[in-house]
Amino acid sequence: MARQNYLFTSESVSEGHPDKVCDRISDEIVDLFFREGAKAGLDPYQIRVACETLATTNRVVIAGEVRGPKLSEDTIIHVARQAIRDIGYEQEGFHWEHAKIEVLLHAQSADIAQGVDASGNKDEGAGDQGIMFGYACRETPELMPAPIHYAHKVLRLISEARHNGIEKGLGPDSKSQVTIRYENGKPVGVTQIVVSHQHTVEDLTSSQIREMIEPYVRSALPEGWIDKNTVWHINPTGKFYIGGPDGDCGLTGRKIIVDTYGGAAPHGGGAFSGKDPTKVDRSAAYAARYLAKNVVAAGLADRCTLQLAYAIGVAKPLSIYADLHGTGVVDEGKLESVLMDAMNLSPRGIREHLQLNKPVYARTSAYGHFGRQPDADGGFSWEKTDLVDKLKTYFS
């Protein structure tokens, strides 16, 4: 039987964290290829992007494999600079206008392309092998685990205040961590709060930073969850003036637990950012979350973990596994068959069902890929619960 009383911690990082700067640039390039491909009248199913970014002191390196519209190096550099500017970096050691940006993108391997491309009677295959997980639970209205949900929310509120000019003393780089107390299996309070936030005035103290950010932390968390016993750790090193890639090297894809469920669910190991949706690391993880969320939203379980597995060049998933953690009202084996019937889980089927051939990826690069509101233009389509009626019908 699962433990009912325990503590669980998850962390989040802001869009100014060095790794998130890289995720943002990589995803901006994915969006760029879809946007410019549409303008050129190209088939979006033929677009391929696998873009990795490295960032350090006033230096950005963009590397990877692409296929699609012919884009100049200047165009790619401009997109990267605008992303850095939007995040808010204008500091001496990392400035959107002055950083040296190197582009090392080249054509996708023909060996990989022939396995992925559809031809004749062969459907589009997965862009790589691997396992992907999706998860949903009833801990928050967004059907996300509470620790990661509130860790993200703390930083989003502070970021909005910074971008709106309300908190001019705060820089782009920050991290949060929330430890939540569970009683009888449900989240009921916060025992520890950690926020490390870059500041733009060098001699600000930890107590001054706390005075700035505490209202946003309290606003992010449910009423009554913070009490006199909650321990606060605000800029515990005492100073956080040098931040972003100037303070620590960043790389695409190093925050996979922040991007997903904060450690509350398994992870297959593949990162999302910088990848077009033929890469099942991304698209199948989105599909697994979509299905798990609809299972919980349909009342079939209070918690649902799904695993999908793929082989490179093969269209159909090798397996599907469902775990309802003892909270389900349906048979898990039957649920697996129902989910395979409810959605085409081939790479092409996922792209069509979730409408992933669009420039909707840069917005996913910070504050989590899951638990967000679906956008009118198709962004975060995997957060819809439009399969609820269909799933209820299957089990009626």
Side-chain angles (χ1 to χ4, degrees), residues 52-95:
E52 311 288 346
T53 303
L54 175 148
T56 186
T57 303
N58 271 333
R59 184 69 181 267
V60 175
V61 179
I62 301 168
E65 303 79 47
V66 296
R67 188 177 75 185
K70 301 298 182 183
L71 301 177
S72 70
E73 187 174 298
D74 286 345
T75 298
I76 293 168
I77 290 173
H78 175 73
V79 165
R81 291 198 190 281
Q82 291 307 303
I84 298 167
R85 184 182 188 181
D86 184 64
I87 292 168
Y89 278 113
E90 294 186 337
Q91 61 195 44
E92 183 179 352
F94 195 71
H95 195 292

Side-chain angles (χ1 to χ4, degrees), residues 135-136 140-144 259-261 285-294 297 354 356 364 368-375 378-388:
Y135 181 73
T140 62
E142 294 78 8
L143 304 185
M144 285 289 287
D259 285 343
T260 53
Y261 307 102
Y286 289 174
R289 160 65 179 174
Y290 172 69
L291 292 175
K293 185 175 184 180
N294 276 270
L354 298 179
L356 298 181
T364 70
H369 292 246
F370 308 130
R372 310 284 285 274
Q373 288 297 313
D375 295 325
F380 299 103
S381 60
W382 49 94
E383 290 297 313
K384 292 181 179 180
T385 52
D386 53 1
L387 279 185
V388 165

Side-chain angles (χ1 to χ4, degrees), residues 103-123:
V103 178
L104 301 173
L105 297 173
H106 58 82
Q108 183 188 44
S109 162
D111 291 347
I112 294 176
Q114 70 177 356
V116 176
D117 289 343
S119 61
N121 294 324
K122 175 186 174 298
D123 196 3

Side-chain angles (χ1 to χ4, degrees), residues 146-281:
I148 188 67
H149 172 75
Y150 293 114
H152 285 323
K153 190 172 181 179
V154 164
L155 293 188
R156 281 203 316 270
L157 293 180
I158 297 172
S159 175
E160 288 168 5
R162 180 177 65 85
H163 281 291
N164 291 336
I166 298 171
E167 299 295 350
K168 296 179 181 179
L170 298 178
D173 194 357
S174 60
K175 303 176 78 171
S176 68
Q177 194 165 279
V178 178
T179 300
I180 289 182
R181 185 176 79 256
Y182 285 75
E183 292 181 1
N184 299 317
K186 296 182 179 180
V188 297
V190 175
T191 65
Q192 306 265 348
I193 295 168
V194 183
V195 179
S196 295
H197 212 298
Q198 182 187 12
H199 43 94
T200 58
V201 178
E202 187 168 3
D203 59 357
L204 286 180
T205 65
S206 295
S207 60
Q208 287 173 311
I209 297 297
R210 174 169 174 172
E211 186 177 341
M212 295 167 72
I213 69 170
E214 183 172 344
Y216 304 103
V217 176
R218 291 187 178 275
S219 177
L221 293 163
E223 185 73 25
W225 277 30
I226 298 174
D227 59 26
K228 61 183 177 62
N229 296 315
T230 302
V231 179
W232 293 69
H233 306 275
I234 308 301
N235 282 20
T237 64
K239 184 180 179 181
F240 189 5
Y241 179 64
I242 299 173
D246 186 32
D248 192 9
C249 183
L251 288 169
T252 299
R254 286 204 303 196
K255 288 294 176 282
I256 59 176
I257 302 303
V258 171
D259 285 343
T260 53
Y261 307 102
H267 196 295
F272 300 157
S273 290
K275 298 176 180 177
D276 74 75
T278 64
K279 282 72 172 175
V280 283
D281 277 342

